[in-house]
Structure formats: C-alpha cells, structure tokens
Amino acid sequence: MAATDELPIIKLGPEDAMAGLVLSTEARWNQTEEDWRVFLREGVVFGIRTGILLVATAALLPYSGNNAWISMVLVTAGHRRRGLATRLVDACLETARKNGLTSWLDATPDGVAVYGPLGFTPTLQLRRLKLAKSTQAAPAPPAATLDALRARDCRATGFDRTALLTAFAQRSGSRIVATRGSIGLIRDGRTARHIGPLFADNAAEALGLVQAIARSETGPLLIDALAPQAAFLDGMTASGWIIERPFQRMRFGPATTQAEELPFAVAGPEFG
C-alpha cells in the first residue's frame, strides 16, 4: 500500500478556507476566499492532509432537484499522480449517491480522461475567454435585481441557486446589470473580474451587454461561454476576447431537469 493510500479523507470546515485558497492559487485558478467559503458553507468539501498541510481537495455543492456540482478538485504539485484526486471524487460521488443526487462537473481536457472511466458522460462544451482591459472606463450598464437574475437562472439551468446567486450579489464589487433582453452578473476574482451567469434573448443582445460591461471595467475580465452559442463566441473573439481553454460539462447519473433556454455564459466551471 502506498503511503498516500493511508492518508485519511477528512471533511473540511470554515477554518480551512485559506488553506483551500493556497491550493487554487497554486493552480493559478481565479477563486477567492469568498468562493471557498461558499463551498464550505453550502456544500461539503473533502480534503487530505499530510500533517497540518492540506494537499488535496474536492467539493460537492448541492442544488435543487436532486442535483449537485463537483469541483475544486485540486492536488498540490508534490502529491499529484498518486490517486488522491480520484479518491476525493469517489468520496463526492458516494455522498451524492447516498443523497440521491445527480452529479455534474466541468472538466478540463485532462480531467475528461479521468472522469470518463468513473462513469461521467459528456453533455455540452464551454470556452473560457479572457479580455485584457485598458484603464479607460465608461458608465456601467443599468442595474438589475437579484430576483430577475434568479428567475432567468432557474429557467436556464433548471436549478434553484438562490443561495449561490445571493452570495455572489452580496459581495463587495458585485453588480447585476441588464440591457434589453439580457442580464448578467459581474463579480471579483483573484486575478480577473468574472462575468457570469449571462442570459439573453439572442446573441446580439448578449454581445451588447458584454461590450457594455467591458467598457465599464478597468481590469482583465473572464467569461465561461457555452460552445453551442456559436454566434456569440464568434462575436466575442472578433471583439478582442481570447479563448484560453475549453471545458467539457459531464454528468454522473440520470438527467433530472429540462432547461427552458440555453445561457450564453455560466457562473464558472466550479459552480456550473
């Protein structure tokens, strides 16, 4: 038995938010301490320690309708390729199974090779885009209400994510904005502001809102767009956004809901 097989899996608590942030920062992810506190407060986060050092994590975040999101699957560089991530994802899946939950995740290309053999099946693809901003800022687009965002989010995902969206909206620096038939949320990240979720009646309206947001911001921006929204993606890249990486959305278990519309951007691969 390898030494890492003997390391117990533990459940993390609120006091572990900063230790989790160390792991996601090492991986150059965009999460903040507040993001970690969402997982620790609303879901369950499994971890593995060597002594007092947190070396691996995975989180299960429940949503409504018997659904849950698996994310924050992180292993520090010196402990990779030892099976820790698989053990932690198995712990998430076992917890989901006991609670009758269908599990979802957004995987990197490397992650697809790991999650496929575990029984996850692909659904749709995402594209992460980044825009490096100048220091010129224009007035922000009109503000919208949390209730309006929640209603649109529920139609597009089939999930009630009131707790998540409320946590986002209550953060310092967060904004919910809308123009015509589009609405979206902007929040702080560790290295860049993040746009999403984003909903619109068509690609032109979605592009218009993103362009208005970009004109009102002074730093780098990230957005996780749905690949099937091809006209939106084309418009984004034509206006200077660069595709950084793809994600593959995957599901473990039966489909539980039917969305009424397709969003243009999601809350992030860690949140869905």
Side-chain angles (χ1 to χ4, degrees), residues 3 30 40 46 49 78 95 103 110 119 130 135 142-143 145 170 172 202 206 217 226 233 238 261:
N30 196 47
L40 292 162
F46 295 103
R49 286 196 178 99
T95 300
S103 298
D110 288 342
K130 184 172 185 177
T135 57
T145 66
Q170 290 177 344
S172 175
N202 55 60
E217 296 282 335
L226 272 70
L233 272 174
E261 64 175 290

Side-chain angles (χ1 to χ4, degrees), residues 123-127 225-233 262-263:
T123 56
L124 53 79
Q125 291 194 347
L126 312 175
R127 298 289 184 268
L226 272 70
Q229 300 284 19
F232 177 67
L233 272 174
L262 195 64

Side-chain angles (χ1 to χ4, degrees), residues 59-122:
L60 181 72
L61 185 63
Y63 291 140
S64 68
N66 297 325
N67 293 281
W69 218 264
I70 294 176
S71 59
M72 310 314 288
V73 181
L74 289 156
V75 181
T76 193
H79 287 77
R80 291 173 189 162
R81 302 186 184 281
R82 302 184 189 183
L84 301 187
T86 298
R87 289 180 60 204
L88 290 167
V89 172
D90 282 343
C92 290
L93 290 174
E94 178 61 15
T95 300
R97 184 192 66 78
K98 288 179 179 178
N99 290 280
L101 303 175
T102 288
S103 298
W104 301 76
L105 55 78
D106 290 331
T108 64
D110 288 342
V112 172
V114 174
Y115 301 127
L118 295 178
F120 284 87
T121 57

Side-chain angles (χ1 to χ4, degrees), residues 12-267:
L12 303 183
E15 68 279 4
D16 295 304
M18 286 304 299
L21 182 61
V22 169
L23 284 179
S24 57
T25 299
E26 177 191 348
R28 299 182 181 181
W29 290 5
N30 196 47
Q31 284 80 22
T32 65
E33 181 183 349
E34 290 173 305
D35 289 326
W36 276 99
R37 294 196 180 280
V38 169
F39 292 106
L40 292 162
R41 181 178 64 249
E42 304 293 341
V44 56
V45 183
F46 295 103
I48 294 175
R49 286 196 178 99
T50 57
I52 63 170
L53 182 65
L54 184 65
V55 298
T57 60
L60 181 72
L61 185 63
Y63 291 140
S64 68
N66 297 325
N67 293 281
W69 218 264
I70 294 176
S71 59
M72 310 314 288
V73 181
L74 289 156
V75 181
T76 193
H79 287 77
R80 291 173 189 162
R81 302 186 184 281
R82 302 184 189 183
L84 301 187
T86 298
R87 289 180 60 204
L88 290 167
V89 172
D90 282 343
C92 290
L93 290 174
E94 178 61 15
T95 300
R97 184 192 66 78
K98 288 179 179 178
N99 290 280
L101 303 175
T102 288
S103 298
W104 301 76
L105 55 78
D106 290 331
T108 64
D110 288 342
V112 172
V114 174
Y115 301 127
L118 295 178
F120 284 87
T121 57
T123 56
L124 53 79
Q125 291 194 347
L126 312 175
R127 298 289 184 268
R128 166 156 288 190
L129 298 99
K130 184 172 185 177
L131 181 70
K133 281 292 297 175
S134 70
T135 57
Q136 299 296 318
T145 66
L146 175 59
D147 284 345
L149 182 70
R150 286 165 47 198
R152 198 75 182 259
D153 185 75
C154 190
R155 290 208 307 269
T157 65
F159 308 155
D160 181 354
R161 303 196 297 179
T162 296
L164 176 67
L165 297 177
T166 301
F168 285 165
Q170 290 177 344
R171 294 180 187 178
S172 175
S174 291
R175 295 188 289 136
I176 301 172
V177 295
T179 57
R180 300 177 63 186
S182 60
I183 187 170
L185 183 142
I186 312 101
R187 69 182 193 274
D188 285 342
R190 186 182 64 84
T191 62
R193 297 265 283 165
H194 191 276
I195 302 173
L198 176 73
F199 312 102
D201 293 339
N202 55 60
E205 291 178 357
L207 282 167
L209 181 57
V210 169
Q211 289 165 356
I213 292 170
R215 288 192 298 267
S216 69
E217 296 282 335
T218 59
L221 296 169
L222 292 175
I223 189 168
D224 295 300
L226 272 70
Q229 300 284 19
F232 177 67
L233 272 174
D234 289 346
M236 294 285 285
T237 55
S239 59
W241 289 76
I242 304 298
I243 295 177
E244 283 199 329
R245 65 179 66 91
F247 290 99
Q248 175 67 62
R249 181 155 293 181
M250 307 182 81
R251 187 184 72 238
F252 187 98
T256 58
T257 186
Q258 182 66 44
E260 296 179 29
E261 64 175 290
L262 195 64
F264 283 84
V266 300

